[in-house]
Coordinates of all heavy atoms in Angstrom, one line a residue:
G1 N -46.9 75.3 210.2 CA -47.1 74.0 209.6 C -47.3 73.0 210.7 O -47.3 73.2 211.9
A2 N -47.6 71.8 210.3 CA -48.0 70.7 211.2 C -46.8 70.3 212.1 O -47.1 69.9 213.2 CB -48.4 69.4 210.4
E3 N -45.6 70.6 211.7 CA -44.5 70.2 212.5 C -44.5 71.0 213.8 O -44.2 70.5 214.9 CB -43.1 70.5 211.8 CG -42.9 69.6 210.6 CD -43.6 70.0 209.3 OE1 -44.4 71.1 209.4 OE2 -43.5 69.4 208.3
V4 N -44.8 72.3 213.7 CA -44.9 73.1 214.9 C -46.1 72.8 215.8 O -46.1 72.7 217.0 CB -44.9 74.6 214.5 CG1 -45.1 75.5 215.8 CG2 -43.6 75.0 213.8
M5 N -47.2 72.5 215.1 CA -48.4 72.1 215.8 C -48.2 70.8 216.6 O -48.7 70.6 217.7 CB -49.6 71.9 214.9 CG -50.0 73.1 214.2 SD -51.5 72.8 213.1 CE -51.4 74.2 212.0
A6 N -47.4 69.9 216.1 CA -47.1 68.6 216.7 C -46.1 68.8 217.9 O -46.2 68.0 218.9 CB -46.5 67.7 215.7
D7 N -45.3 69.9 217.9 CA -44.3 70.0 219.0 C -43.9 71.5 219.1 O -43.2 72.0 218.3 CB -43.1 69.2 218.6 CG -42.0 69.2 219.7 OD1 -42.3 69.8 220.8 OD2 -40.9 68.6 219.5
T8 N -44.4 72.1 220.2 CA -44.1 73.5 220.4 C -43.0 73.7 221.5 O -42.8 74.8 221.9 CB -45.4 74.3 220.9 OG1 -45.9 73.5 222.0 CG2 -46.5 74.3 219.8
I9 N -42.3 72.6 221.8 CA -41.3 72.7 222.8 C -39.9 73.1 222.1 O -39.7 72.7 221.0 CB -41.1 71.3 223.5 CG1 -42.4 71.0 224.3 CG2 -39.9 71.3 224.4 CD1 -42.4 69.6 224.8
G10 N -39.1 73.8 222.8 CA -37.8 74.2 222.3 C -37.7 75.5 221.7 O -36.6 75.9 221.3
F11 N -38.7 76.3 221.7 CA -38.7 77.7 221.2 C -38.3 78.6 222.3 O -38.6 78.4 223.5 CB -40.0 78.1 220.6 CG -40.4 77.4 219.3 CD1 -41.2 76.3 219.4 CD2 -39.9 77.7 218.1 CE1 -41.6 75.6 218.2 CE2 -40.2 77.1 216.9 CZ -41.1 76.0 217.0
A12 N -37.6 79.7 221.9 CA -37.2 80.7 222.9 C -38.4 81.3 223.6 O -38.4 81.7 224.8 CB -36.4 81.8 222.3
L13 N -39.5 81.5 222.9 CA -40.8 82.0 223.4 C -41.9 81.0 222.9 O -41.7 80.3 221.9 CB -41.1 83.4 222.9 CG -40.1 84.5 223.3 CD1 -40.4 85.7 222.4 CD2 -40.3 84.8 224.7
P14 N -43.0 81.0 223.6 CA -44.1 80.2 223.1 C -44.5 80.7 221.7 O -44.7 81.9 221.5 CB -45.3 80.5 224.1 CG -44.6 80.9 225.4 CD -43.4 81.6 224.9
P15 N -44.7 79.8 220.8 CA -45.1 80.3 219.4 C -46.5 81.0 219.5 O -47.4 80.5 220.2 CB -45.2 79.0 218.6 CG -44.4 78.0 219.4 CD -44.5 78.4 220.8
V16 N -46.6 82.1 218.7 CA -47.9 82.8 218.7 C -48.9 82.1 217.8 O -48.5 81.6 216.7 CB -47.6 84.3 218.2 CG1 -48.9 84.9 217.7 CG2 -47.0 85.1 219.4
Q17 N -50.1 82.1 218.2 CA -51.2 81.7 217.3 C -52.3 82.7 217.4 O -52.9 82.8 218.5 CB -51.7 80.3 217.7 CG -52.6 79.6 216.6 CD -51.9 79.4 215.3 OE1 -52.5 79.7 214.3 NE2 -50.7 78.9 215.3
F18 N -52.6 83.5 216.3 CA -53.6 84.4 216.4 C -55.0 83.7 216.1 O -55.0 82.6 215.6 CB -53.4 85.5 215.2 CG -52.3 86.4 215.5 CD1 -51.0 86.1 214.9 CD2 -52.4 87.5 216.3 CE1 -50.0 87.0 215.1 CE2 -51.3 88.3 216.5 CZ -50.1 88.1 215.9
M19 N -56.0 84.4 216.6 CA -57.4 83.9 216.3 C -58.3 85.0 216.1 O -58.1 86.1 216.6 CB -57.9 83.0 217.5 CG -57.9 83.7 218.8 SD -58.3 82.7 220.2 CE -58.2 83.9 221.5
A20 N -59.3 84.8 215.2 CA -60.3 85.8 214.9 C -61.7 85.2 214.9 O -61.9 84.1 214.5 CB -60.0 86.4 213.5
G21 N -62.6 85.9 215.5 CA -64.0 85.4 215.6 C -64.9 86.4 216.2 O -64.5 87.4 216.8
D22 N -66.2 86.2 216.0 CA -67.2 87.2 216.5 C -67.8 86.9 217.9 O -68.5 87.8 218.4 CB -68.4 87.3 215.5 CG -67.9 87.9 214.1 OD1 -66.9 88.7 214.1 OD2 -68.5 87.5 213.1
K23 N -67.5 85.7 218.4 CA -68.1 85.4 219.7 C -67.0 85.3 220.8 O -66.2 84.4 220.7 CB -68.9 84.1 219.6 CG -69.8 83.8 220.9 CD -70.7 82.6 220.7 CE -71.5 82.4 222.0 NZ -72.4 83.5 222.3
A24 N -67.1 86.2 221.8 CA -66.0 86.2 222.8 C -65.9 84.9 223.5 O -64.7 84.4 223.8 CB -66.3 87.3 223.8
E25 N -67.0 84.3 223.9 CA -66.9 83.0 224.7 C -66.2 81.9 223.8 O -65.5 81.1 224.4 CB -68.3 82.6 225.1 CG -68.9 83.5 226.1 CD -69.7 84.6 225.4 OE1 -69.5 84.9 224.2 OE2 -70.5 85.3 226.1
A26 N -66.5 81.9 222.6 CA -65.9 80.9 221.7 C -64.4 81.1 221.6 O -63.6 80.1 221.6 CB -66.5 80.9 220.3
K27 N -64.0 82.4 221.5 CA -62.5 82.6 221.5 C -61.9 82.3 222.8 O -60.7 81.8 222.8 CB -62.3 84.1 221.1 CG -62.5 84.4 219.6 CD -62.0 85.8 219.2 CE -62.9 86.9 219.6 NZ -62.5 88.2 219.0
E28 N -62.5 82.4 223.9 CA -62.0 82.0 225.2 C -61.7 80.5 225.2 O -60.7 80.0 225.7 CB -62.9 82.4 226.3 CG -62.9 83.9 226.6 CD -64.0 84.3 227.6 OE1 -64.6 83.4 228.2 OE2 -64.2 85.5 227.8
T29 N -62.7 79.7 224.7 CA -62.5 78.3 224.6 C -61.4 77.9 223.7 O -60.5 77.1 224.0 CB -63.8 77.6 224.1 OG1 -64.9 77.9 225.0 CG2 -63.7 76.1 223.9
V30 N -61.3 78.5 222.5 CA -60.2 78.2 221.6 C -58.9 78.7 222.2 O -57.8 78.0 222.0 CB -60.5 78.9 220.2 CG1 -59.3 78.7 219.3 CG2 -61.7 78.3 219.6
A31 N -58.8 79.8 222.9 CA -57.6 80.2 223.5 C -57.0 79.2 224.4 O -55.8 78.9 224.5 CB -57.8 81.6 224.2
A32 N -57.9 78.6 225.2 CA -57.5 77.5 226.2 C -57.0 76.3 225.4 O -56.0 75.7 225.8 CB -58.7 77.1 227.1
L33 N -57.6 76.0 224.3 CA -57.1 74.8 223.5 C -55.8 75.1 222.9 O -54.9 74.2 222.8 CB -58.2 74.5 222.4 CG -59.5 73.9 222.9 CD1 -60.4 73.7 221.8 CD2 -59.3 72.6 223.7
L34 N -55.6 76.4 222.4 CA -54.3 76.7 221.9 C -53.2 76.7 223.0 O -52.1 76.2 222.7 CB -54.3 78.2 221.3 CG -55.2 78.3 220.1 CD1 -55.3 79.8 219.7 CD2 -54.7 77.5 218.9
T35 N -53.5 77.1 224.2 CA -52.6 77.1 225.3 C -52.2 75.6 225.6 O -51.1 75.3 225.9 CB -53.2 77.7 226.5 OG1 -53.4 79.1 226.2 CG2 -52.2 77.7 227.7
D36 N -53.2 74.7 225.5 CA -52.9 73.3 225.7 C -51.9 72.7 224.7 O -51.2 71.8 225.1 CB -54.2 72.5 225.6 CG -55.1 72.7 226.8 OD1 -54.6 73.1 227.9 OD2 -56.3 72.4 226.7
L37 N -51.9 73.3 223.5 CA -50.9 72.9 222.5 C -49.5 73.5 222.7 O -48.6 73.2 222.0 CB -51.4 73.2 221.1 CG -52.6 72.4 220.7 CD1 -53.1 72.9 219.3 CD2 -52.4 70.9 220.6
G38 N -49.4 74.5 223.6 CA -48.2 75.2 223.8 C -48.0 76.5 223.1 O -47.0 77.2 223.1
F39 N -49.1 77.0 222.5 CA -49.1 78.3 221.8 C -49.5 79.4 222.8 O -50.1 79.2 223.8 CB -50.1 78.3 220.7 CG -49.7 77.5 219.5 CD1 -50.4 76.3 219.2 CD2 -48.8 77.9 218.6 CE1 -50.0 75.5 218.1 CE2 -48.4 77.1 217.5 CZ -49.0 75.9 217.3
E40 N -49.0 80.7 222.4 CA -49.5 81.9 223.0 C -50.7 82.4 222.2 O -50.5 82.9 221.1 CB -48.4 82.9 223.1 CG -49.0 84.2 223.8 CD -47.9 85.3 223.8 OE1 -46.8 85.1 223.4 OE2 -48.3 86.5 224.2
P41 N -51.9 82.3 222.6 CA -53.0 82.8 221.8 C -53.2 84.3 221.9 O -53.1 84.9 222.9 CB -54.3 82.1 222.5 CG -53.9 81.9 223.9 CD -52.4 81.6 223.9
L42 N -53.3 84.9 220.7 CA -53.5 86.3 220.6 C -54.8 86.6 219.9 O -55.0 86.1 218.8 CB -52.3 87.0 220.0 CG -51.0 87.0 220.7 CD1 -50.0 87.8 220.0 CD2 -51.2 87.6 222.1
D43 N -55.7 87.4 220.4 CA -56.9 87.8 219.8 C -56.7 88.8 218.7 O -56.3 90.0 219.0 CB -57.9 88.3 220.9 CG -59.3 88.4 220.4 OD1 -59.6 88.3 219.2 OD2 -60.2 88.6 221.2
A44 N -57.1 88.5 217.5 CA -56.9 89.5 216.4 C -58.2 90.3 216.2 O -58.2 91.2 215.3 CB -56.6 88.7 215.1
G45 N -59.3 89.9 216.9 CA -60.5 90.7 216.7 C -61.6 89.9 216.0 O -61.7 88.7 216.2
A46 N -62.5 90.6 215.3 CA -63.7 90.0 214.7 C -63.3 89.0 213.6 O -62.1 89.0 213.1 CB -64.6 91.1 214.2
L47 N -64.2 88.2 213.2 CA -64.0 87.2 212.2 C -63.5 87.9 210.9 O -62.7 87.3 210.1 CB -65.2 86.4 211.9 CG -65.0 85.2 211.0 CD1 -64.1 84.2 211.6 CD2 -66.3 84.5 210.6

């Protein structure tokens, strides 16, 4: 939910955020943006 997106501080581990898509370079960009929010990005594979 939005509450976690707004604040990822205070968890025992970085919250996981999966992503799926067909273009590797696009997923790399999104992974960096997820990291900026405090998430651990995990690639789930194709779209």
Side-chain angles (χ1 to χ4, degrees):
E3 294 82 359
V4 177
M5 296 182 197
D7 184 6
T8 54
I9 296 173
F11 292 98
L13 296 169
V16 161
Q17 193 63 227
F18 292 98
M19 55 184 180
D22 292 334
K23 189 172 180 62
E25 295 88 344
K27 283 193 282 190
E28 290 173 6
T29 297
V30 174
L33 293 176
L34 293 173
T35 300
D36 286 342
L37 293 173
F39 288 106
E40 177 184 356
L42 292 181
D43 189 350
L47 190 62

